[in-house]
């Protein structure tokens, strides 16, 4: 295992260098956009009737979305910086793992320098801060809880794997789910001006999407994460314990919707609407732990999350149409 100072670029298997623009896009993981529809979930909760939607709300949510893109890009770029420095990315994307595309880690592949990555990470963080400040200043509503949430969200996002290194202190899984929930609630608070239990349930379910492909990634990354002391659940428990943990998360996703429908936080039909996601989670779990194909199971998490997002938006539109009628 290479040390922090010894970790260097791995260039084997790369046919030709990429353009800088492409490498920066990879550093920011712009092809993984699954946190960004959080704003669409929030918008759908206030959209109907359209005639009552203030123009300022559209501007605010557009600024919030752009800010979210920049903040998350900064978060994952700084995560790559830390992973490069401590050698975990070199281990997880090294020549012994043919299933991982090394070009997705520009520092490991040698297509970007450490200085370029740091400038990019902090530059996008600054842009995100400015855009979120603009979103708050233009918002039709600014409840205190929402403003505090947005500030905290920015601070902890850039500390995910850099600075305080939240993900290196046993909070990675909580953070991944919490980020999705906070994005939904932050956007909703600025647009609606009040708290909603139903939207909170939707935010938690939205956060489960990234969580339930993140934990499969962690299962694949156990050797590299253990080597640098990154205490994911997958690293801390036995293989059977990890399988039970991921199974429990998959079941919890269903139970959250079921309980919300049962107690009246969500409409009675909400749990039925979300059943296709449960079916996809069963398939994902069996692929990972019955068939033993963890990386394919991770990949199945993306369509499951996207189906969930569409269904959450559909639920809001049904509720909104009923209220408008």
């Amino acid at each position: 295992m290479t040390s922090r100072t010894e970790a260097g670029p791995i260039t084997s298997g790369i046919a030709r260098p990429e353009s800088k623009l492409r490498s920066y896009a990879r550093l920011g993981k712009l092809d993984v956009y699954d946190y960004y529809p959080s704003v669409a979930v929030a918008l759908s909760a206030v959209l109907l009737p359209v005639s009552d939607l203030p123009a300022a709300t559209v501007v605010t949510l557009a600024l919030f979305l752009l800010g979210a893109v920049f903040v998350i890009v900064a978060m994952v770029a700084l995560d790559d910086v830390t992973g490069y420095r401590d050698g975990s990315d070199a281990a997880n994307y090294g020549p012994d793992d043919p299933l991982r595309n090394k070009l997705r880690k520009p520092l490991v592949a040698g297509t970007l320098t450490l200085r370029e990555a740091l400038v990019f990470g902090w530059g996008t963080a600054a842009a995100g801060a400015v855009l979120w400040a603009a979103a708050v200043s233009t918002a039709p509503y600014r409840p205190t809880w929402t403003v505090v949430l947005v500030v905290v969200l920015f601070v902890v996002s850039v500390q995910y794997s850099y600075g305080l290194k939240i993900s290196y202190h046993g909070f990675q899984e909580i953070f991944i789910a919490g980020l999705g929930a906070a994005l939904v609630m932050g956007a909703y608070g600025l647009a609606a001006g009040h708290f909603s239990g139903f939207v909170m349930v939707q935010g938690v379910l939205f956060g489960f999407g990234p969580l339930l492909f993140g934990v499969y990634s962690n299962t694949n990354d156990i050797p590299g994460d253990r080597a640098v002391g990154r205490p994911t659940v997958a690293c801390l428990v036995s293989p059977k314990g990890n399988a039970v943990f991921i199974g429990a998360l998959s079941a919890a996703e269903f139970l959250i919707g079921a309980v919300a429908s049962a107690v009246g936080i969500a409409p009675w039909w909400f749990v039925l609407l979300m059943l296709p996601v449960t079916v996809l989670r069963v398939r994902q779990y069996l692929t990972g732990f019955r068939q033993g194909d963890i990386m394919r199971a991770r990949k199945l998490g993306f369509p499951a999350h996207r189906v969930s997002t569409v269904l959450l938006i559909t639920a809001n539109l049904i509720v909104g149409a009923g209220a408008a009628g």
Side-chain angles (χ1 to χ4, degrees):
M1 182 67 197
T2 54
S3 69
R4 174 181 294 268
T5 57
E6 293 168 342
I10 295 174
T11 57
S12 61
I14 301 174
R16 60 181 180 274
E18 292 191 314
S19 69
K20 288 288 187 183
L21 183 62
R22 177 64 170 159
S23 294
Y24 280 122
R26 288 190 186 275
L27 183 66
K29 308 297 184 287
L30 291 178
D31 59 326
V32 182
Y33 52 83
D34 292 270
Y35 276 119
Y36 307 140
S38 56
V39 177
V41 174
L43 175 61
S44 67
V46 298
L47 181 61
L48 297 178
V50 175
S51 59
D52 291 344
L53 186 68
T57 299
V58 177
V59 173
T60 294
L61 292 182
L63 289 168
F64 189 86
L65 173 59
L66 287 173
V69 172
F70 278 95
V71 170
I72 292 171
V73 163
M75 179 184 77
V76 297
L78 293 173
D79 179 66
D80 273 17
V81 168
T82 298
Y84 172 75
R85 282 175 165 172
D86 65 22
S88 59
D89 281 350
N92 293 331
Y93 285 78
D96 294 333
D97 191 344
L99 298 178
R100 308 300 288 270
N101 180 3
K102 295 159 192 62
L103 287 172
R104 289 187 57 78
K105 294 290 184 178
L107 290 170
V108 174
T111 56
L112 289 176
T113 67
L114 183 59
R115 177 178 174 79
E116 287 171 333
L118 282 168
V119 170
F120 177 80
W122 288 114
T124 51
V130 170
L131 286 163
W132 272 356
V136 170
S137 67
T138 61
Y141 307 101
R142 288 184 286 275
T144 300
W145 67 266
T146 305
V147 176
V148 171
L149 177 64
V150 172
V151 172
V152 171
L153 185 57
F154 173 78
V155 172
V156 299
S157 292
V158 296
Q159 305 287 331
Y160 171 67
S161 294
Y162 202 88
L164 294 178
K165 295 185 179 180
I166 293 169
S167 66
Y168 282 70
H169 296 286
F171 299 101
Q172 188 198 68
E173 292 83 4
I174 294 173
F175 175 87
I176 291 172
L179 175 59
L183 287 169
V184 171
M185 291 306 297
Y188 178 78
L190 294 176
H194 59 82
F195 180 85
S196 164
F198 183 35
V199 175
M200 184 70 235
V201 167
Q202 293 179 62
V204 172
L205 291 177
F206 183 87
F208 261 69
L211 175 61
L212 280 168
F213 48 75
V215 289
Y216 285 91
S217 287
N218 290 346
T219 302
N220 183 76
D221 294 346
I222 288 173
D225 287 343
R226 277 183 176 163
V228 300
R230 194 171 194 174
T232 65
V233 171
C235 290
L236 296 174
V237 301
S238 67
K240 183 177 180 180
N242 184 51
V244 170
F245 171 67
I246 294 178
L249 288 178
S250 302
E253 184 182 40
F254 166 77
L255 290 172
I256 289 168
V259 171
S261 287
V263 302
I265 297 175
W268 66 266
W269 45 261
F270 180 68
V271 61
L272 302 177
L273 180 70
M274 300 303 293
L275 280 178
V277 182
T278 303
V279 173
L280 292 172
R281 292 302 182 201
V282 172
R283 180 188 175 198
Q284 182 186 21
Y285 186 82
L286 292 176
T287 298
F289 294 100
R290 181 70 62 82
Q291 300 175 21
D293 194 341
I294 291 296
M295 291 308 290
R296 183 164 170 261
R298 174 188 180 274
K299 187 175 181 181
L300 290 173
F302 290 92
H305 174 58
R306 292 162 190 172
V307 168
S308 176
T309 300
V310 170
L311 293 177
L312 292 174
I313 292 170
T314 300
N316 281 330
L317 295 179
I318 292 172
V319 170

